[in-house]
Amino acid sequence: MAPTTEQFRALFEPRGVIVAGASTHPGKFGFVCLHNILAAGYEGRVFATNRDGAEVLGIECLTSIDQVPDGAADLVFICTPASTNIELLQECARKGVRAAFVASAGYGEAGDEGRAAEAELVAVAEELGILLAGPNGQGVVSPPSKLCAQIVAPYPPAGHIGVASQSGNFVSSFMNFAEHSGIGISRAVSAGNSAAVTVPDYLDFYADDPETKVGLAYLEGINDGRAYYERLRSVAERKPLVIVKGGATAGGARAAASHTGSLATDDAVFDGAVRQAGVTRAATVEEAFEAAATFATQPRPRGPRTVIYTTAGGWGVVTADAIARTDLVLLDLPDDLRRTIDTKLPPRWSRSNPVDLAGSETRDTIPEVMEIVASHDEVDAVIFLGLGIQANTARLERQGPFYPGHGLERIVDYHERQDARFAQAAADISAATGKPILTATELATTDPTNAGPAAVRASGRLCYGSSNRAVTALAHLWHDTRWRQRRGLL
Amino acid sequence: MCPTLSEAESKRLLAAHGVPIAPESVVDGPAEAVAAAEQLGFPVVAKLCGDAIAHKTERGLVRLGLGDADAVRRAAEELLAAARPDDGEVGVLVAPMVSGNRELIAGLQRDPQFGMTVMLGVGGILAEALADVAFRLVPIDRTDAHEMVEQLRTQALLGEFRGEPEVDREALVDVLVGLSAAAEATPRLVSADLNPLIVHEGRPVAVDALVELDGTPEGGAA
């Protein structure tokens, strides 16, 4: 039976948490989990239990769940050996616990005996009305609740991407991308063995969760494709859903089979099923994160017509090539738009798309012309290139031996201010026009402290590490939009 | 066990659910074959047709480009003479000769994970090398079918091509939606193949069809 919303609330927004099996040894899960919960600043009550009642991280451990006040905690994070967990669940249920994250190993992944123990655990949890996450999972994170109940890192900023994964490590990977890019997470959960609650169950909760704007999932083999399809479609109809699937090739399928013991299906059929379901399928883990970040932070394009807006000529050309390889359309610049831009720029600008300013810009033209471009009726989306070039020059000057003399301080400040201003303008104009404006520069990864990418991050948008990645993300956003438009869902 | 239907019956089953099929006749003898050809208009193809005949081309049971009555009569005689006792009841299928430079394939397959699927792909001699196929789960609607067509990588093949007009996408959608409807209405259906779908003057025409049913009684298998 699928968990209830109330049970999911206990998992993601608990009023109190018990760490069962807290340890004084900093290398043990029972220590790390408690550390992470406390370090992230969780504001509810935190209880910890261990056999001898030792103090861990300033918390006096209880020797029994019985000592937890009734109703004070509704989530238990379990690090105890599998053999003790049935009794533990029963005690927790009596205290009002409605959700359990079981990190303990020794279940379905551990042979016949483990499988039997897992089945018993599931049955007991079901009978007690406890949502059972895991077992053999890495934890659950819910930044809007300042909850970091996990035995791994990191703790990402709060945001609107809901992560669910069949592999715990990919939860960490997605959260690392979140931390680096500043595009935050609403919920993240490692499904572990998915004994009771599966990845589609979590996604189904995200689809109605007000904190979550987009679901992001890592999947491996699946056992009942038809049921999976129905679940994913139901989620995608309510909210965008991005997946990356392991085991898509024959070699990957063998690796997945040994990983989760589940079957990998013919990839062409799987691919058709997810397209039909309206799910965005990404080829790589980073592409999946960037697609989800785009859904979470950009308005939807009404159509495919895209303008490349650039101060960097070569980047404009390769971006035009990248667009030609997608379903996006490089807009043939309308005459009236060309004439309006002519009034703002000297004649050496490209006069076509890519709109290449070719060094024609003065102090104000980048935001001004960007607004003119984005406001035009025939423009559905803009890709903005060349951000950070000025601030990059500033860095060289700032780090050189002549700084701060020779008037450098003033120009360095000016350059950095300008790039920050352009980044903010991209976000503001996008919000005002309701059209996506994606900013891309390699400085996002080569020098994230550059004023350009830093300001994109501060604006709450993703600064794409290359124009190709921005094109891929925009194409995903357009495909999802088109899927909804065609089915009357927008 | 998976009995196959004859080409004519396969087409009849699919056509009943909206798959567009070119007109054709199945006849008993050479004289009737000539009459059918005259009605359809030359040139025609003639094939030996029967429930147990699944591999006509391999057995040389297809005669193409028959331009006049004599050719049709001769072909019908040869085909009927080539029938083996284990072919069961046979006839001669006479159909218009369809020509075109482009070939697609479409069909139904039951996937162990996802159940019945509709398939569209690029056909012809490069089909396997290109592996340009799109699948959807039954049932599909017209929007899904349009997206399958859109998904093929070889889009240049669907535009104007060597003096032939662009492919009528609505007609291709009719094929796919019809296949899906046939699968829904026929629980015993195991697979269906329309191979090739020749693009003739921009319209996809199934020049061969093969439907496989499972051996259990109607409704016995989902």
Side-chain angles (χ1 to χ4, degrees), chain A residues 93-452:
Chain A
R94 284 199 291 273
K95 294 294 174 179
V97 165
R98 304 303 311 276
F101 194 100
V102 182
S104 324
Y107 285 103
E109 78 288 358
D112 287 343
E113 215 171 295
R115 271 192 289 279
E118 186 170 293
E120 192 189 1
L121 191 72
V122 170
V124 168
E126 170 89 8
E127 196 184 300
L128 296 170
I130 290 180
L131 178 156
L132 184 81
N136 190 31
Q138 298 188 349
V140 58
V141 165
S142 181
S145 305
K146 297 192 178 174
L147 178 71
C148 181
Q150 60 175 352
I151 53 177
V152 290
Y155 177 61
H160 303 291
I161 300 175
V163 177
S165 174
Q166 255 178 287
S167 160
N169 184 248
F170 278 116
V171 178
S172 294
S173 298
F174 287 134
M175 293 193 303
N176 284 326
F177 286 122
E179 190 157 82
H180 175 263
S181 66
I183 309 300
I185 297 292
S186 55
R187 327 286 189 189
V189 64
S190 140
N193 292 358
S194 305
V197 188
T198 62
V199 167
D201 291 328
Y202 295 112
L203 297 174
D204 196 60
F205 170 74
Y206 296 159
D208 296 323
D209 172 26
E211 294 291 338
T212 302
K213 286 186 183 167
V214 50
L216 173 59
Y218 172 77
L219 302 175
E220 280 179 6
I222 54 179
N223 289 316
D224 181 348
R226 184 59 68 150
Y228 233 86
Y229 165 77
E230 300 291 349
R231 296 294 301 280
L232 296 188
R233 174 149 190 150
S234 152
V235 171
E237 282 177 351
R238 286 172 283 163
K239 246 166 231 179
L241 172 57
V242 180
I243 64 158
V244 61
K245 180 173 182 285
T249 63
R254 275 194 300 278
S258 62
H259 191 177
T260 62
S262 49
L263 288 165
T265 187
D266 177 13
D267 192 63
V269 174
F270 177 83
D271 197 68
V274 293
R275 286 170 189 258
Q276 193 172 359
V279 172
T280 297
R281 185 181 183 189
T284 66
V285 176
E286 59 269 37
E287 181 184 319
F289 179 80
E290 288 171 8
T294 306
F295 285 118
T297 60
Q298 294 280 352
R300 289 181 176 281
R302 283 193 294 265
R305 297 165 302 181
T306 305
V307 170
I308 302 167
Y309 186 69
T310 182
T311 60
W315 273 117
V317 176
V318 298
T319 309
D321 289 340
I323 285 177
R325 289 189 283 266
T326 68
D327 294 327
L328 298 171
V329 172
L330 190 68
L331 176 70
D332 199 4
L333 220 56
D335 286 338
D336 63 323
L337 179 54
R338 187 183 294 118
R339 282 195 301 270
T340 314
I341 300 176
D342 277 339
T343 66
K344 297 285 176 187
L345 293 176
R348 67 176 175 278
W349 78 280
S350 65
R351 307 199 79 248
S352 64
N353 186 8
V355 174
D356 182 352
L357 277 58
S360 310
E361 65 273 16
T362 61
R363 207 170 67 84
D364 293 320
T365 43
I366 288 185
E368 275 180 17
V369 177
M370 188 190 297
E371 183 161 25
I372 289 165
V373 168
S375 303
H376 195 279
D377 268 354
E378 288 183 41
V379 175
D380 296 316
V382 176
I383 292 181
F384 173 37
L385 309 173
L387 185 75
I389 292 173
Q390 282 183 252
N392 209 26
T393 299
R395 177 178 138 169
L396 189 69
E397 292 170 348
R398 188 197 283 283
Q399 291 176 343
F402 303 104
Y403 186 85
H406 308 276
L408 283 174
E409 195 167 8
R410 212 177 111 244
I411 196 70
V412 161
D413 285 352
Y414 172 76
H415 282 323
E416 291 178 343
R417 220 165 41 241
Q418 284 295 92
D419 266 325
R421 183 171 163 235
F422 302 154
Q424 189 58 46
D428 293 344
I429 293 166
S430 168
T433 56
K435 296 178 185 179
I437 300 183
L438 280 65
T439 302
T441 166
E442 75 287 353
L443 289 161
T445 48
T446 59
D447 182 13
T449 64
N450 178 294

